[in-house]
């Protein structure tokens, strides 16, 4: 038997790896970081780390020996040379099947539910149960939550209008910013009804804070009961300081959830909750349904209700990113040498400068940061102590901030700029702004389907691909359309980068007035990795580019 676990302590002790610090997508996916976390496989030959290939460069940069890793979920790239020497299995199921070689597979209780369900479809899998923890259920006053968000939103709307009052290309946006509409519970009840659920069990941080209006304490879960339209928090009975009115004590989370649901049909976040919790729910008679994507959609389609915060986040991001890269450009021109971490330090300082200069009365903090020299790698990833000097070909800074109140995230941003330093890269980068702002954002209006935007972008790029080949930014033998259809050209935002609604094939969501997201054209080829990305908002009269200076 091989055994799989995602235990963070073992990950640090055995591989010296902190996923939240060293890996990019563990930081981006606030609602599903367990899904993309590295997995330790105990095999007859010893420990092997199973890593999604998109994190290959980051795991190597963190010092994990390549011969101790196996990769899965091949990274999408228009330059196959980048991954030519590193095979990746088609999926986690394929890789685990290869390692097990017909033997039974054991899962620790910490492995996320999605992996358990995927592996169980074709492999012999047995999962550990988790210890049962006695809990107390607290009823949350939803009217008080709504008032709390309303107060925050009024402040956000006032601040955003002040920040953009002298930005000419955003003229008219101020009238779109409101603070009165709040459909979080109405929309959650509709979701439960449409999915024929008795309750929705919420554990991922973005969803928890969206319903509870407070920072999630250790081991706390929220439960929306569709039967009586009430909200509860389940917390260990040893926890103190939990808000709400105590309504009962239960032997465990499973018992509490089923009792408060007044039924057995319970929706869960399969990309977040551990398998041990699933087994506990099922032992209490629950029938669990996968709800990670519908809950992501629930956040996405309401994000315009927090437009004031989104605007502030976008304006902060464009200032901090462009100023940090401007500093890097000037420093290189002066013959100075520094590191990726020095650029990051300057970037974070510019976030503070933006907040100070604009008297922003709420917290702005880093959300994720993809900052790397192309000389280190072409994979996306957080900064490390890697030198930046005259030999540097390109620097990419793709990052986001989040707006928070008392630890509750009310908005995030996601945009990218680059500092290309080869002639071909400079020409390509200039063109990529046209692609993003005309080829992608130019299509965005009410009634447009997400997947159609992707196809329209390929049409926009088609007459320019020959030029990309001429300047050394694309290979003649690359089947560009086939490869680029494997990734998105943008996405909605829903308190994080959305993986529920992307601008890519297969995504059927129809844009409406109020849709908010990012448009991007990542381009990694040869010796440069270029990122160009802007934030957009579909207004009543036109679509705005929020991250344009």
């Amino acid at each position: 038997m091989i055994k799989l676990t995602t235990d963070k302590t073992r990950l640090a002790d055995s591989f010296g790896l902190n996923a939240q610090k060293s890996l990019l997508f563990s930081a981006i996916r606030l609602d599903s970081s367990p899904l993309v976390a590295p997995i330790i496989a105990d095999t007859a030959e010893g420990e092997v780390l199973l890593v999604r290939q998109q994190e290959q460069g980051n795991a190597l940069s963190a010092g994990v020996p390549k011969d101790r890793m196996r990769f899965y979920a091949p990274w999408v790239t228009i330059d196959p040379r980048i991954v030519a020497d590193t095979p990746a299995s088609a999926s986690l199921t394929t890789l685990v099947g290869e390692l097990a070689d017909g033997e039974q597979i054991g899962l620790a209780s910490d492995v996320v539910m999605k992996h358990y369900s995927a592996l169980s479809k074709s492999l012999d899998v047995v999962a550990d149960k988790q210890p049962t923890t006695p809990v107390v259920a607290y009823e949350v006053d939803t009217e008080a939550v709504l008032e709390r968000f309303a107060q925050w939103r009024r402040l956000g709307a006032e601040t955003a209008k002040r920040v953009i009052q002298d930005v000419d290309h955003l003229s008219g946006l101020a009238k779109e910013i409101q603070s009165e509409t709040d459909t979080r519970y109405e929309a959650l009840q509709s979701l439960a009804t449409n999915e024929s659920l008795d309750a929705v069990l919420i554990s991922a941080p973005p969803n928890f804070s969206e319903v509870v209006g407070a920072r999630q304490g250790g081991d706390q879960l929220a439960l929306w009961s569709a039967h009586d339209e009430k909200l509860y928090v389940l917390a260990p009975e040893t926890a103190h300081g939990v808000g709400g009115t105590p309504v009962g004590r239960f032997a465990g989370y499973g018992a509490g959830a089923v009792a408060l649901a007044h039924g057995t049909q319970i929706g869960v976040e399969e990309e977040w909750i551990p398998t041990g919790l699933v087994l506990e729910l099922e032992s209490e008679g629950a029938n669990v349904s996968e709800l990670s994507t519908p809950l992501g959609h629930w956040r996405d389609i309401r994000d315009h209700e927090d437009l004031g915060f989104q605007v502030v986040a976008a304006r902060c991001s464009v200032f901090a990113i462009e100023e940090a890269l401007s500093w890097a450009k000037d420093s290189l021109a002066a013959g100075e040498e520094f590191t990726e971490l020095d650029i990051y330090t300057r970037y974070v300082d510019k976030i503070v400068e933006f907040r100070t200069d604009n008297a922003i009365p709420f917290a702005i903090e880093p959300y994720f940061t993809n900052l790397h020299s192309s000389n280190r790698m072409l994979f996306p990833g957080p900064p490390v102590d890697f030198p930046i000097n005259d030999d540097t070909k390109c620097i990419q800074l793709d990052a986001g901030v989040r707006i928070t109140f008392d630890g509750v995230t009310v908005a995030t941003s996601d945009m990218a700029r680059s500092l290309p330093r080869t002639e071909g890269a400079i020409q390509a980068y200039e063109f990529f702004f046209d692609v993003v702002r005309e080829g992608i954002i130019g299509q965005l209006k009410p009634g447009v389907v997400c997947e159609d935007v992707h196809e329209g972008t390929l049409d926009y790029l088609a007459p320019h691909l020959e030029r990309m080949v001429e300047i050394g930014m694309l290979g003649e033998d690359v089947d560009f359309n086939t490869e680029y259809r494997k990734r998105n050209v943008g996405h909605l935002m829903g308190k994080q980068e959305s993986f529920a609604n992307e601008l890519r094939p297969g995504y059927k969501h129809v844009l409406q007035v109020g849709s908010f997201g990012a448009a991007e054209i990542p381009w990694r080829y040869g010796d440069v990795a270029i990122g160009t990305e802007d934030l957009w908002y579909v207004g009543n009269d036109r679509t705005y580019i929020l991250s344009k200076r």
Side-chain angles (χ1 to χ4, degrees), residues 340-491:
E340 293 175 1
L341 291 177
D342 291 322
I343 302 175
Y344 179 71
T345 298
R346 185 57 57 112
Y347 162 68
V348 172
D349 180 70
K350 290 297 178 180
I351 294 175
V352 176
E353 181 178 326
F354 176 88
R355 184 181 177 191
T356 303
D357 289 353
N358 290 280
I360 307 298
F362 36 77
I364 307 178
E365 57 190 84
Y367 157 35
F368 76 92
T369 308
N370 168 19
L371 195 175
H372 63 96
S373 161
S374 297
N375 294 46
R376 172 164 69 96
M377 65 179 187
L378 298 189
F379 288 91
V384 300
D385 189 20
F386 187 85
I388 304 293
N389 52 40
D390 196 52
D391 294 329
T392 300
K393 305 296 185 184
C394 185
I395 302 165
Q396 178 180 359
L397 178 46
D398 178 350
V401 300
R402 54 175 153 187
I403 307 292
T404 63
F405 282 86
D406 301 327
V408 175
T409 297
V410 294
T412 56
S413 61
D414 175 10
M415 58 159 291
R417 297 289 187 264
S418 301
L419 178 56
R421 303 185 72 244
T422 67
E423 186 56 37
I426 291 170
Q427 293 182 44
Y429 184 52
E430 181 179 355
F431 167 61
F432 293 153
F433 275 102
D434 294 337
V435 178
V436 167
R437 294 175 177 178
E438 298 176 10
I440 305 176
I441 298 177
Q443 300 182 62
L444 307 180
K445 58 184 179 181
V448 171
V449 180
C450 284
E451 66 177 357
D452 292 343
V453 177
H454 192 284
E455 199 62 26
T457 303
L458 294 183
D459 291 342
Y460 185 92
L461 281 164
H464 302 279
L465 295 181
E466 184 176 341
R467 177 58 177 162
M468 291 295 104
V469 174
E470 292 174 357
I471 62 177
M473 292 300 297
L474 187 65
E476 292 184 359
D477 56 346
V478 174
D479 185 348
F480 181 83
N481 282 8
T482 296
E483 293 305 314
Y484 228 84
R485 285 193 178 101
K486 299 175 184 177
R487 63 147 299 125
N488 68 41
V489 294
H491 49 80

Side-chain angles (χ1 to χ4, degrees), residues 119-279:
L119 294 172
S120 298
K121 289 178 181 178
S122 58
L123 301 173
D124 182 9
V125 177
V126 58
D128 294 342
K129 297 180 180 179
Q130 67 179 20
T132 302
T133 301
V135 300
V136 176
Y138 302 83
E139 184 177 345
V140 177
D141 182 347
T142 53
E143 289 300 319
V145 173
L146 291 173
E147 178 55 31
R148 189 178 312 137
F149 276 107
Q151 291 177 5
W152 292 344
R153 285 174 166 179
R154 284 192 288 270
L155 187 59
E158 294 168 3
T159 304
K161 292 175 182 179
R162 173 168 51 80
V163 167
I164 64 172
Q165 62 184 350
D166 295 324
V167 183
D168 290 342
H169 71 87
L170 295 180
S171 175
L173 180 60
K175 68 177 184 290
E176 306 264 356
I177 301 172
Q178 59 84 42
S179 58
E180 293 77 29
T181 303
D182 194 326
T183 61
R184 74 189 66 232
Y185 297 127
E186 175 186 337
L188 185 57
Q189 179 66 14
S190 295
L191 187 159
T193 300
N194 293 339
E195 298 287 338
S196 301
L197 297 173
D198 295 308
V200 178
L201 187 63
I202 294 173
S203 54
N207 296 329
F208 183 94
S209 61
E210 274 288 277
V211 293
V212 179
R215 182 200 297 267
Q216 186 175 19
D219 299 322
Q220 291 183 11
L221 306 180
L223 184 127
W224 176 260
S225 172
H227 175 78
D228 50 16
E229 298 189 33
K230 290 184 177 181
L231 177 66
Y232 304 93
V233 167
L234 297 172
E237 63 179 13
T238 54
H240 303 288
V242 181
T245 303
V247 294
R249 302 175 71 173
F250 300 92
Y253 292 103
V258 172
L260 296 170
H262 304 290
T264 58
Q265 304 301 319
I266 299 178
V268 300
E269 299 146 314
E270 76 283 0
E271 296 179 355
W272 181 271
I273 70 168
T275 296
L277 178 55
V278 176
L279 297 180

Side-chain angles (χ1 to χ4, degrees), residues 52-90:
R52 292 166 64 94
Q53 193 175 43
Q54 64 188 170
E55 300 284 15
Q56 175 181 318
N58 298 320
L60 292 171
S61 292
V64 182
K66 193 172 184 178
D67 61 4
R68 297 191 66 195
M69 292 187 284
R70 292 285 299 275
F71 300 100
Y72 68 96
W75 185 51
V76 177
T77 172
I78 57 173
D79 190 344
R81 296 170 297 180
I82 300 172
V83 293
D85 63 344
T86 309
S89 297

